[in-house]
Short mmCIF file of all heavy atoms in Angstrom, two decimals:
data_model
loop_
_atom_site.label_atom_id
_atom_site.label_comp_id
_atom_site.label_asym_id
_atom_site.label_seq_id
_atom_site.Cartn_x
_atom_site.Cartn_y
_atom_site.Cartn_z
N MET H 1 -4.82 -15.70 7.23
CA MET H 1 -4.78 -14.44 6.54
C MET H 1 -3.47 -13.72 6.83
O MET H 1 -3.27 -13.23 7.90
CB MET H 1 -5.96 -13.59 6.93
CG MET H 1 -5.88 -12.13 6.63
SD MET H 1 -7.32 -11.12 7.00
CE MET H 1 -7.73 -11.44 8.62
N PRO H 2 -2.54 -13.74 5.91
CA PRO H 2 -1.29 -13.15 6.07
C PRO H 2 -1.35 -11.64 6.09
O PRO H 2 -2.21 -11.04 5.48
CB PRO H 2 -0.37 -13.65 4.98
CG PRO H 2 -1.14 -14.74 4.29
CD PRO H 2 -2.63 -14.62 4.68
N ASP H 3 -0.41 -10.92 6.68
CA ASP H 3 -0.21 -9.53 6.65
C ASP H 3 1.05 -9.30 5.92
O ASP H 3 2.08 -9.82 6.15
CB ASP H 3 -0.14 -8.93 8.08
CG ASP H 3 -1.44 -9.08 8.84
OD1 ASP H 3 -2.54 -8.90 8.22
OD2 ASP H 3 -1.42 -9.26 10.00
N TYR H 4 0.97 -8.34 4.88
CA TYR H 4 2.08 -8.01 4.14
C TYR H 4 2.50 -6.58 4.41
O TYR H 4 1.52 -5.73 4.65
CB TYR H 4 1.83 -8.18 2.59
CG TYR H 4 1.51 -9.56 2.24
CD1 TYR H 4 0.31 -10.13 2.18
CD2 TYR H 4 2.70 -10.46 1.92
CE1 TYR H 4 0.05 -11.46 1.82
CE2 TYR H 4 2.46 -11.75 1.51
CZ TYR H 4 1.10 -12.29 1.46
OH TYR H 4 0.89 -13.53 1.13
N LYS H 5 3.76 -6.24 4.25
CA LYS H 5 4.18 -4.82 4.45
C LYS H 5 5.16 -4.48 3.41
O LYS H 5 6.02 -5.36 3.08
CB LYS H 5 4.74 -4.60 5.83
CG LYS H 5 5.17 -3.26 6.12
CD LYS H 5 5.75 -3.06 7.51
CE LYS H 5 6.15 -1.60 7.65
NZ LYS H 5 6.89 -1.34 8.85
N MET H 6 5.00 -3.28 2.81
CA MET H 6 6.02 -2.80 1.82
C MET H 6 6.46 -1.41 2.17
O MET H 6 5.54 -0.54 2.33
CB MET H 6 5.31 -2.86 0.49
CG MET H 6 6.21 -2.39 -0.64
SD MET H 6 5.30 -2.47 -2.27
CE MET H 6 6.61 -2.38 -3.38
N ASP H 7 7.74 -1.25 2.31
CA ASP H 7 8.31 0.12 2.47
C ASP H 7 8.92 0.56 1.15
O ASP H 7 9.79 -0.11 0.64
CB ASP H 7 9.40 0.08 3.60
CG ASP H 7 8.87 -0.21 4.90
OD1 ASP H 7 7.80 0.25 5.25
OD2 ASP H 7 9.56 -1.01 5.65
N ILE H 8 8.36 1.66 0.64
CA ILE H 8 8.90 2.22 -0.64
C ILE H 8 9.92 3.23 -0.31
O ILE H 8 9.66 4.26 0.17
CB ILE H 8 7.80 2.72 -1.52
CG1 ILE H 8 6.79 1.61 -1.76
CG2 ILE H 8 8.32 3.32 -2.77
CD1 ILE H 8 5.51 2.05 -2.54
N ARG H 9 11.16 2.91 -0.66
CA ARG H 9 12.29 3.89 -0.49
C ARG H 9 13.04 3.95 -1.85
O ARG H 9 13.66 2.96 -2.15
CB ARG H 9 13.25 3.32 0.58
CG ARG H 9 12.55 2.97 1.89
CD ARG H 9 12.94 3.94 2.99
NE ARG H 9 12.24 3.57 4.23
CZ ARG H 9 11.37 4.38 4.76
NH1 ARG H 9 10.97 5.47 4.22
NH2 ARG H 9 10.80 4.03 5.85
N GLY H 10 12.87 4.97 -2.51
CA GLY H 10 13.49 5.05 -3.85
C GLY H 10 12.42 4.77 -4.86
O GLY H 10 11.28 5.12 -4.82
N LYS H 11 12.83 3.94 -5.92
CA LYS H 11 11.99 3.59 -7.02
C LYS H 11 10.80 2.81 -6.67
O LYS H 11 10.81 1.94 -5.80
CB LYS H 11 12.78 2.76 -8.07
CG LYS H 11 13.09 3.51 -9.31
CD LYS H 11 13.74 2.58 -10.24
CE LYS H 11 13.82 3.33 -11.59
NZ LYS H 11 14.53 2.66 -12.61
N LEU H 12 9.70 3.13 -7.25
CA LEU H 12 8.40 2.52 -7.06
C LEU H 12 8.29 1.15 -7.81
O LEU H 12 8.50 1.14 -8.97
CB LEU H 12 7.25 3.45 -7.56
CG LEU H 12 5.89 3.11 -7.18
CD1 LEU H 12 5.64 3.17 -5.70
CD2 LEU H 12 4.93 4.16 -7.85
N GLY H 13 8.00 0.03 -7.16
CA GLY H 13 7.88 -1.20 -7.74
C GLY H 13 6.71 -1.97 -7.25
O GLY H 13 6.77 -3.11 -6.84
N LEU H 14 5.59 -1.38 -7.21
CA LEU H 14 4.34 -1.87 -6.52
C LEU H 14 3.69 -3.02 -7.26
O LEU H 14 3.11 -3.92 -6.62
CB LEU H 14 3.40 -0.72 -6.25
CG LEU H 14 2.17 -1.00 -5.43
CD1 LEU H 14 2.52 -1.46 -4.07
CD2 LEU H 14 1.43 0.33 -5.34
N ASN H 15 3.59 -2.95 -8.63
CA ASN H 15 2.74 -3.90 -9.40
C ASN H 15 3.09 -5.33 -9.11
O ASN H 15 2.14 -6.15 -8.91
CB ASN H 15 2.90 -3.66 -10.86
CG ASN H 15 1.96 -2.63 -11.35
OD1 ASN H 15 0.98 -2.28 -10.72
ND2 ASN H 15 2.15 -2.10 -12.55
N ASP H 16 4.28 -5.76 -9.12
CA ASP H 16 4.71 -7.14 -8.93
C ASP H 16 4.40 -7.62 -7.52
O ASP H 16 3.88 -8.72 -7.31
CB ASP H 16 6.23 -7.25 -9.12
CG ASP H 16 6.61 -6.98 -10.60
OD1 ASP H 16 5.81 -7.30 -11.40
OD2 ASP H 16 7.71 -6.53 -10.76
N TYR H 17 4.53 -6.73 -6.54
CA TYR H 17 4.28 -7.12 -5.12
C TYR H 17 2.78 -7.37 -4.83
O TYR H 17 2.44 -8.26 -4.11
CB TYR H 17 4.90 -6.05 -4.18
CG TYR H 17 5.04 -6.54 -2.78
CD1 TYR H 17 6.05 -7.37 -2.41
CD2 TYR H 17 4.11 -6.18 -1.82
CE1 TYR H 17 6.20 -7.81 -1.09
CE2 TYR H 17 4.19 -6.64 -0.56
CZ TYR H 17 5.20 -7.43 -0.10
OH TYR H 17 5.40 -7.78 1.18
N MET H 18 1.97 -6.48 -5.49
CA MET H 18 0.50 -6.65 -5.22
C MET H 18 -0.04 -7.94 -5.63
O MET H 18 -0.99 -8.46 -5.17
CB MET H 18 -0.27 -5.50 -5.83
CG MET H 18 -0.09 -4.15 -5.15
SD MET H 18 -1.16 -2.80 -5.65
CE MET H 18 -1.72 -3.19 -7.30
N GLY H 19 0.62 -8.60 -6.63
CA GLY H 19 0.18 -9.81 -7.23
C GLY H 19 0.24 -10.99 -6.27
O GLY H 19 -0.51 -12.01 -6.37
N ILE H 20 1.03 -10.94 -5.20
CA ILE H 20 1.11 -12.09 -4.30
C ILE H 20 0.14 -11.97 -3.12
O ILE H 20 -0.12 -12.95 -2.44
CB ILE H 20 2.61 -12.22 -3.69
CG1 ILE H 20 2.97 -11.08 -2.88
CG2 ILE H 20 3.60 -12.47 -4.84
CD1 ILE H 20 4.20 -11.24 -1.98
N VAL H 21 -0.47 -10.76 -2.97
CA VAL H 21 -1.48 -10.60 -1.96
C VAL H 21 -2.75 -11.30 -2.41
O VAL H 21 -3.26 -11.03 -3.43
CB VAL H 21 -1.67 -9.11 -1.61
CG1 VAL H 21 -2.74 -8.95 -0.55
CG2 VAL H 21 -0.36 -8.45 -1.29
N ASP H 22 -3.30 -12.16 -1.50
CA ASP H 22 -4.48 -12.91 -1.82
C ASP H 22 -5.75 -12.34 -1.17
O ASP H 22 -5.64 -11.47 -0.35
CB ASP H 22 -4.31 -14.40 -1.36
CG ASP H 22 -5.21 -15.32 -2.10
OD1 ASP H 22 -5.86 -14.94 -3.04
OD2 ASP H 22 -5.12 -16.59 -1.83
N LYS H 23 -6.93 -12.92 -1.51
CA LYS H 23 -8.21 -12.37 -0.91
C LYS H 23 -8.10 -12.48 0.58
O LYS H 23 -7.61 -13.42 1.21
CB LYS H 23 -9.27 -13.25 -1.37
CG LYS H 23 -10.69 -12.87 -0.92
CD LYS H 23 -11.75 -13.80 -1.53
CE LYS H 23 -13.02 -13.45 -0.88
NZ LYS H 23 -14.16 -14.34 -1.35
N ASN H 24 -8.63 -11.44 1.27
CA ASN H 24 -8.71 -11.27 2.68
C ASN H 24 -7.34 -10.98 3.38
O ASN H 24 -7.24 -10.90 4.56
CB ASN H 24 -9.40 -12.40 3.42
CG ASN H 24 -10.83 -12.54 2.97
OD1 ASN H 24 -11.52 -11.55 2.82
ND2 ASN H 24 -11.29 -13.75 2.75
N ASP H 25 -6.30 -10.82 2.59
CA ASP H 25 -4.96 -10.50 3.10
C ASP H 25 -4.89 -9.01 3.33
O ASP H 25 -5.48 -8.22 2.69
CB ASP H 25 -3.83 -10.84 2.20
CG ASP H 25 -3.64 -12.43 2.02
OD1 ASP H 25 -4.28 -13.10 2.89
OD2 ASP H 25 -2.93 -12.81 1.19
N ASN H 26 -4.15 -8.62 4.39
CA ASN H 26 -3.92 -7.21 4.72
C ASN H 26 -2.58 -6.78 4.02
O ASN H 26 -1.62 -7.57 4.00
CB ASN H 26 -3.86 -6.95 6.22
CG ASN H 26 -5.21 -7.21 6.87
OD1 ASN H 26 -6.26 -6.83 6.27
ND2 ASN H 26 -5.22 -7.83 8.02
N PHE H 27 -2.43 -5.50 3.70
CA PHE H 27 -1.32 -5.04 3.00
C PHE H 27 -1.10 -3.61 3.50
O PHE H 27 -1.92 -2.76 3.39
CB PHE H 27 -1.61 -5.02 1.54
CG PHE H 27 -0.48 -4.66 0.55
CD1 PHE H 27 0.79 -5.13 0.87
CD2 PHE H 27 -0.70 -3.93 -0.55
CE1 PHE H 27 1.81 -4.78 -0.05
CE2 PHE H 27 0.28 -3.67 -1.46
CZ PHE H 27 1.60 -4.10 -1.16
N THR H 28 0.13 -3.34 4.02
CA THR H 28 0.47 -1.97 4.47
C THR H 28 1.60 -1.47 3.73
O THR H 28 2.65 -2.18 3.56
CB THR H 28 0.82 -1.95 5.97
OG1 THR H 28 -0.29 -2.39 6.76
CG2 THR H 28 1.15 -0.51 6.39
N ILE H 29 1.50 -0.27 3.10
CA ILE H 29 2.61 0.31 2.26
C ILE H 29 2.98 1.59 3.06
O ILE H 29 2.18 2.37 3.53
CB ILE H 29 2.03 0.76 0.97
CG1 ILE H 29 1.56 -0.51 0.19
CG2 ILE H 29 3.09 1.44 0.14
CD1 ILE H 29 0.76 -0.17 -1.14
N THR H 30 4.34 1.71 3.21
CA THR H 30 4.88 2.93 3.82
C THR H 30 5.69 3.61 2.76
O THR H 30 6.51 3.03 2.09
CB THR H 30 5.71 2.58 4.96
OG1 THR H 30 5.02 1.80 5.92
CG2 THR H 30 6.24 3.84 5.70
N VAL H 31 5.38 4.91 2.51
CA VAL H 31 6.03 5.71 1.51
C VAL H 31 6.81 6.78 2.15
O VAL H 31 6.40 7.59 2.94
CB VAL H 31 4.96 6.36 0.62
CG1 VAL H 31 5.60 7.14 -0.56
CG2 VAL H 31 3.97 5.27 0.02
N ASP H 32 8.15 6.89 1.74
CA ASP H 32 9.00 7.88 2.31
C ASP H 32 8.77 9.24 1.69
O ASP H 32 7.99 9.32 0.78
CB ASP H 32 10.51 7.54 2.26
CG ASP H 32 11.06 7.46 0.88
OD1 ASP H 32 10.36 7.77 -0.12
OD2 ASP H 32 12.24 7.10 0.70
N GLN H 33 9.42 10.28 2.22
CA GLN H 33 9.20 11.60 1.79
C GLN H 33 9.45 11.83 0.29
O GLN H 33 8.65 12.49 -0.38
CB GLN H 33 10.15 12.61 2.56
CG GLN H 33 9.90 12.63 3.98
CD GLN H 33 8.62 13.38 4.30
OE1 GLN H 33 8.10 14.19 3.60
NE2 GLN H 33 8.13 13.15 5.55
N SER H 34 10.43 11.12 -0.29
CA SER H 34 10.74 11.29 -1.68
C SER H 34 9.71 10.69 -2.65
O SER H 34 9.60 11.04 -3.81
CB SER H 34 12.09 10.67 -2.03
OG SER H 34 12.10 9.28 -1.82
N ASN H 35 8.80 9.84 -2.10
CA ASN H 35 7.79 9.19 -2.92
C ASN H 35 6.34 9.65 -2.56
O ASN H 35 5.45 9.16 -3.12
CB ASN H 35 7.84 7.68 -2.83
CG ASN H 35 8.95 7.15 -3.59
OD1 ASN H 35 9.04 7.28 -4.80
ND2 ASN H 35 9.81 6.42 -2.94
N ARG H 36 6.34 10.68 -1.71
CA ARG H 36 4.96 11.10 -1.26
C ARG H 36 4.03 11.57 -2.40
O ARG H 36 2.83 11.43 -2.30
CB ARG H 36 5.14 12.21 -0.21
CG ARG H 36 3.76 12.57 0.34
CD ARG H 36 3.49 12.63 1.81
NE ARG H 36 4.34 12.11 2.74
CZ ARG H 36 4.65 12.73 3.87
NH1 ARG H 36 4.22 13.94 4.10
NH2 ARG H 36 5.42 12.11 4.74
N GLN H 37 4.62 12.08 -3.47
CA GLN H 37 3.81 12.49 -4.63
C GLN H 37 3.15 11.35 -5.29
O GLN H 37 2.17 11.55 -6.11
CB GLN H 37 4.66 13.28 -5.63
CG GLN H 37 5.61 12.52 -6.48
CD GLN H 37 7.04 12.33 -5.76
OE1 GLN H 37 7.15 12.59 -4.60
NE2 GLN H 37 8.01 11.96 -6.54
N HIS H 38 3.51 10.12 -5.02
CA HIS H 38 2.97 8.90 -5.63
C HIS H 38 1.71 8.36 -4.85
O HIS H 38 1.16 7.38 -5.28
CB HIS H 38 4.00 7.80 -5.76
CG HIS H 38 5.14 8.15 -6.62
ND1 HIS H 38 4.96 8.34 -7.99
CD2 HIS H 38 6.45 8.35 -6.39
CE1 HIS H 38 6.09 8.67 -8.55
NE2 HIS H 38 7.06 8.70 -7.63
N VAL H 39 1.34 8.96 -3.72
CA VAL H 39 0.28 8.43 -2.88
C VAL H 39 -1.04 8.24 -3.66
O VAL H 39 -1.68 7.20 -3.62
CB VAL H 39 0.08 9.28 -1.63
CG1 VAL H 39 -1.20 8.92 -0.89
CG2 VAL H 39 1.31 9.18 -0.75
N ASN H 40 -1.42 9.24 -4.51
CA ASN H 40 -2.63 9.07 -5.22
C ASN H 40 -2.57 8.02 -6.22
O ASN H 40 -3.57 7.26 -6.41
CB ASN H 40 -2.96 10.39 -5.94
CG ASN H 40 -3.41 11.44 -4.98
OD1 ASN H 40 -3.87 11.27 -3.89
ND2 ASN H 40 -3.28 12.72 -5.32
N ILE H 41 -1.38 7.78 -6.87
CA ILE H 41 -1.24 6.66 -7.83
C ILE H 41 -1.35 5.38 -7.09
O ILE H 41 -2.03 4.42 -7.59
CB ILE H 41 0.10 6.85 -8.55
CG1 ILE H 41 0.19 8.05 -9.40
CG2 ILE H 41 0.46 5.59 -9.36
CD1 ILE H 41 1.55 8.39 -9.89
N ILE H 42 -0.73 5.21 -5.96
CA ILE H 42 -0.73 3.99 -5.17
C ILE H 42 -2.15 3.72 -4.75
O ILE H 42 -2.60 2.52 -4.88
CB ILE H 42 0.24 4.13 -4.00
CG1 ILE H 42 1.68 4.25 -4.47
CG2 ILE H 42 0.05 2.93 -3.04
CD1 ILE H 42 2.61 4.58 -3.31
N THR H 43 -2.90 4.64 -4.17
CA THR H 43 -4.25 4.36 -3.76
C THR H 43 -5.09 3.95 -4.93
O THR H 43 -5.99 3.06 -4.85
CB THR H 43 -4.93 5.49 -2.95
OG1 THR H 43 -4.81 6.70 -3.72
CG2 THR H 43 -4.11 5.71 -1.62
N SER H 44 -4.97 4.67 -6.05
CA SER H 44 -5.73 4.26 -7.27
C SER H 44 -5.42 2.87 -7.73
O SER H 44 -6.29 1.99 -8.09
CB SER H 44 -5.44 5.19 -8.38
OG SER H 44 -5.92 6.48 -8.11
N MET H 45 -4.09 2.48 -7.71
CA MET H 45 -3.75 1.08 -8.11
C MET H 45 -4.34 0.09 -7.14
O MET H 45 -4.77 -1.02 -7.61
CB MET H 45 -2.18 1.00 -8.10
CG MET H 45 -1.53 1.78 -9.20
SD MET H 45 0.31 1.77 -9.00
CE MET H 45 0.67 0.08 -9.29
N LEU H 46 -4.34 0.40 -5.91
CA LEU H 46 -4.88 -0.56 -4.86
C LEU H 46 -6.37 -0.79 -5.17
O LEU H 46 -6.90 -1.85 -5.22
CB LEU H 46 -4.69 -0.05 -3.44
CG LEU H 46 -3.29 -0.16 -2.93
CD1 LEU H 46 -3.09 0.66 -1.64
CD2 LEU H 46 -2.85 -1.66 -2.69
N LYS H 47 -7.13 0.38 -5.35
CA LYS H 47 -8.52 0.25 -5.56
C LYS H 47 -8.85 -0.51 -6.85
O LYS H 47 -9.81 -1.34 -6.86
CB LYS H 47 -9.16 1.66 -5.64
CG LYS H 47 -9.19 2.29 -4.24
CD LYS H 47 -9.71 3.67 -4.29
CE LYS H 47 -9.66 4.39 -2.89
NZ LYS H 47 -10.04 5.81 -3.03
N GLU H 48 -8.09 -0.29 -7.95
CA GLU H 48 -8.29 -1.04 -9.16
C GLU H 48 -7.93 -2.46 -9.06
O GLU H 48 -8.39 -3.33 -9.85
CB GLU H 48 -7.42 -0.41 -10.27
CG GLU H 48 -7.93 1.01 -10.67
CD GLU H 48 -6.99 1.71 -11.72
OE1 GLU H 48 -5.99 1.05 -12.13
OE2 GLU H 48 -7.24 2.81 -11.92
N SER H 49 -7.14 -2.91 -8.05
CA SER H 49 -6.73 -4.26 -7.83
C SER H 49 -7.57 -4.90 -6.71
O SER H 49 -7.09 -5.84 -6.02
CB SER H 49 -5.21 -4.29 -7.53
OG SER H 49 -4.48 -3.87 -8.57
N ASN H 50 -8.75 -4.44 -6.48
CA ASN H 50 -9.65 -5.02 -5.50
C ASN H 50 -9.24 -4.87 -4.03
O ASN H 50 -9.45 -5.80 -3.25
CB ASN H 50 -9.96 -6.43 -5.84
CG ASN H 50 -10.58 -6.54 -7.20
OD1 ASN H 50 -11.48 -5.81 -7.58
ND2 ASN H 50 -10.13 -7.56 -7.99
N PHE H 51 -8.57 -3.80 -3.64
CA PHE H 51 -8.22 -3.53 -2.31
C PHE H 51 -9.24 -2.52 -1.70
O PHE H 51 -9.56 -1.50 -2.43
CB PHE H 51 -6.80 -3.01 -2.21
CG PHE H 51 -5.76 -4.01 -2.36
CD1 PHE H 51 -5.28 -4.38 -3.62
CD2 PHE H 51 -5.23 -4.73 -1.24
CE1 PHE H 51 -4.26 -5.30 -3.75
CE2 PHE H 51 -4.23 -5.60 -1.37
CZ PHE H 51 -3.74 -5.95 -2.64
N SER H 52 -9.50 -2.64 -0.43
CA SER H 52 -10.23 -1.60 0.32
C SER H 52 -9.15 -0.86 1.14
O SER H 52 -8.37 -1.52 1.84
CB SER H 52 -11.26 -2.21 1.28
OG SER H 52 -12.29 -2.89 0.50
N ILE H 53 -9.18 0.44 1.10
CA ILE H 53 -8.28 1.23 1.93
C ILE H 53 -8.88 1.28 3.36
O ILE H 53 -9.99 1.77 3.56
CB ILE H 53 -8.11 2.65 1.40
CG1 ILE H 53 -7.64 2.65 -0.07
CG2 ILE H 53 -7.12 3.43 2.26
CD1 ILE H 53 -6.32 2.04 -0.38
N LEU H 54 -8.18 0.72 4.35
CA LEU H 54 -8.66 0.63 5.74
C LEU H 54 -8.29 1.91 6.46
O LEU H 54 -9.02 2.40 7.29
CB LEU H 54 -8.13 -0.59 6.39
CG LEU H 54 -8.43 -1.92 5.76
CD1 LEU H 54 -7.67 -3.02 6.46
CD2 LEU H 54 -9.94 -2.14 5.70
N GLU H 55 -7.00 2.32 6.34
CA GLU H 55 -6.56 3.51 7.07
C GLU H 55 -5.34 4.12 6.28
O GLU H 55 -4.59 3.37 5.58
CB GLU H 55 -6.07 3.06 8.41
CG GLU H 55 -5.57 4.12 9.33
CD GLU H 55 -5.17 3.55 10.66
OE1 GLU H 55 -5.16 2.30 10.93
OE2 GLU H 55 -4.75 4.39 11.56
N GLU H 56 -5.16 5.38 6.35
CA GLU H 56 -3.91 6.05 5.77
C GLU H 56 -3.66 7.31 6.61
O GLU H 56 -4.55 7.86 7.22
CB GLU H 56 -4.14 6.28 4.29
CG GLU H 56 -5.32 7.13 3.91
CD GLU H 56 -5.40 7.30 2.38
OE1 GLU H 56 -4.40 7.65 1.76
OE2 GLU H 56 -6.52 7.00 1.89
N GLY H 57 -2.42 7.69 6.56
CA GLY H 57 -1.91 8.82 7.27
C GLY H 57 -0.47 8.89 7.45
O GLY H 57 0.25 8.20 6.71
N ILE H 58 0.01 9.69 8.38
CA ILE H 58 1.45 9.91 8.55
C ILE H 58 1.86 9.18 9.90
O ILE H 58 1.27 9.38 10.90
CB ILE H 58 1.79 11.38 8.62
CG1 ILE H 58 1.42 11.97 7.27
CG2 ILE H 58 3.30 11.63 8.94
CD1 ILE H 58 1.53 13.52 7.22
N ASN H 59 2.89 8.41 9.82
CA ASN H 59 3.36 7.60 10.99
C ASN H 59 4.26 8.47 11.85
O ASN H 59 4.52 9.60 11.51
CB ASN H 59 3.98 6.33 10.65
CG ASN H 59 5.20 6.47 9.89
OD1 ASN H 59 5.89 7.48 9.87
ND2 ASN H 59 5.69 5.35 9.24
N ASN H 60 4.77 7.94 12.94
CA ASN H 60 5.59 8.71 13.87
C ASN H 60 6.97 9.08 13.27
O ASN H 60 7.67 9.90 13.88
CB ASN H 60 5.76 8.02 15.20
CG ASN H 60 6.28 6.62 15.06
OD1 ASN H 60 6.47 6.12 13.94
ND2 ASN H 60 6.49 5.94 16.23
N LEU H 61 7.31 8.46 12.23
CA LEU H 61 8.62 8.88 11.50
C LEU H 61 8.45 9.89 10.47
O LEU H 61 9.43 10.29 9.81
CB LEU H 61 9.25 7.53 11.00
CG LEU H 61 9.63 6.54 11.92
CD1 LEU H 61 10.08 5.23 11.17
CD2 LEU H 61 10.63 6.99 12.93
N GLY H 62 7.15 10.29 10.18
CA GLY H 62 6.93 11.23 9.13
C GLY H 62 6.65 10.62 7.84
O GLY H 62 6.48 11.36 6.83
N ASP H 63 6.63 9.33 7.64
CA ASP H 63 6.40 8.66 6.42
C ASP H 63 4.85 8.46 6.30
O ASP H 63 4.17 8.27 7.29
CB ASP H 63 7.07 7.27 6.38
CG ASP H 63 8.56 7.49 6.37
OD1 ASP H 63 9.13 8.47 5.83
OD2 ASP H 63 9.26 6.48 6.87
N TYR H 64 4.38 8.43 5.03
CA TYR H 64 2.93 8.22 4.73
C TYR H 64 2.69 6.64 4.75
O TYR H 64 3.53 5.98 4.10
CB TYR H 64 2.54 8.91 3.43
CG TYR H 64 1.10 9.07 3.34
CD1 TYR H 64 0.51 10.25 3.88
CD2 TYR H 64 0.27 8.12 2.73
CE1 TYR H 64 -0.84 10.40 3.77
CE2 TYR H 64 -1.05 8.35 2.60
CZ TYR H 64 -1.67 9.51 3.15
OH TYR H 64 -2.97 9.65 3.12
N TYR H 65 1.63 6.21 5.26
CA TYR H 65 1.33 4.83 5.23
C TYR H 65 -0.11 4.66 4.69
O TYR H 65 -1.02 5.49 4.83
CB TYR H 65 1.47 4.12 6.58
CG TYR H 65 0.45 4.53 7.56
CD1 TYR H 65 -0.81 3.82 7.76
CD2 TYR H 65 0.57 5.64 8.36
CE1 TYR H 65 -1.72 4.13 8.64
CE2 TYR H 65 -0.36 6.02 9.30
CZ TYR H 65 -1.54 5.30 9.36
OH TYR H 65 -2.53 5.66 10.30
N ILE H 66 -0.35 3.55 4.04
CA ILE H 66 -1.63 3.09 3.59
C ILE H 66 -1.88 1.66 4.02
O ILE H 66 -1.10 0.74 3.67
CB ILE H 66 -1.78 3.18 2.00
CG1 ILE H 66 -1.34 4.58 1.57
CG2 ILE H 66 -3.14 2.74 1.52
CD1 ILE H 66 -1.02 4.65 0.07
N SER H 67 -2.92 1.37 4.77
CA SER H 67 -3.25 -0.02 5.13
C SER H 67 -4.50 -0.40 4.32
O SER H 67 -5.48 0.41 4.24
CB SER H 67 -3.55 -0.08 6.67
OG SER H 67 -2.49 0.19 7.41
N ALA H 68 -4.39 -1.57 3.72
CA ALA H 68 -5.46 -1.98 2.84
C ALA H 68 -5.75 -3.49 3.01
O ALA H 68 -4.91 -4.24 3.58
CB ALA H 68 -5.13 -1.73 1.37
N ASN H 69 -6.95 -3.96 2.48
CA ASN H 69 -7.26 -5.38 2.63
C ASN H 69 -7.84 -5.73 1.22
O ASN H 69 -8.62 -5.03 0.56
CB ASN H 69 -8.34 -5.54 3.64
CG ASN H 69 -8.82 -7.01 3.64
OD1 ASN H 69 -9.75 -7.41 3.03
ND2 ASN H 69 -8.14 -7.78 4.54
N LYS H 70 -7.38 -6.87 0.69
CA LYS H 70 -7.85 -7.34 -0.64
C LYS H 70 -9.17 -8.07 -0.37
O LYS H 70 -9.27 -9.03 0.33
CB LYS H 70 -6.77 -8.22 -1.25
CG LYS H 70 -7.12 -8.61 -2.66
CD LYS H 70 -5.92 -9.15 -3.44
CE LYS H 70 -6.24 -9.23 -4.88
NZ LYS H 70 -5.13 -9.64 -5.61
N TYR H 71 -10.17 -7.64 -1.11
CA TYR H 71 -11.51 -8.23 -0.89
C TYR H 71 -11.93 -9.16 -1.96
O TYR H 71 -12.94 -9.90 -1.90
CB TYR H 71 -12.58 -7.16 -0.75
CG TYR H 71 -12.78 -6.20 -1.86
CD1 TYR H 71 -13.59 -6.45 -3.01
CD2 TYR H 71 -12.08 -4.94 -1.88
CE1 TYR H 71 -13.68 -5.58 -4.01
CE2 TYR H 71 -12.25 -4.03 -2.84
CZ TYR H 71 -13.05 -4.37 -3.95
OH TYR H 71 -13.17 -3.52 -5.03
N LYS H 72 -11.23 -9.31 -3.09
CA LYS H 72 -11.53 -10.31 -4.15
C LYS H 72 -10.29 -11.02 -4.51
O LYS H 72 -9.21 -10.52 -4.67
CB LYS H 72 -12.08 -9.61 -5.38
CG LYS H 72 -13.48 -9.18 -5.38
CD LYS H 72 -13.82 -8.79 -6.75
CE LYS H 72 -15.16 -7.98 -6.86
NZ LYS H 72 -15.54 -7.59 -8.18
#
């Protein structure tokens, strides 16, 4: 079960990347301050793409992170 990580700095390009994550894989997205308004969109996209949100919050650098697992 691979672990994937995506840091979003600047333009949002999440759709293509989510396609490579397979069932039971973990996926962590880190969103910088300039993209924080996109957090609700990102969590909705993850849920619609069969991801369970495991944890989310603000890391020690002040960036927002979302940890998820693909269940289908």
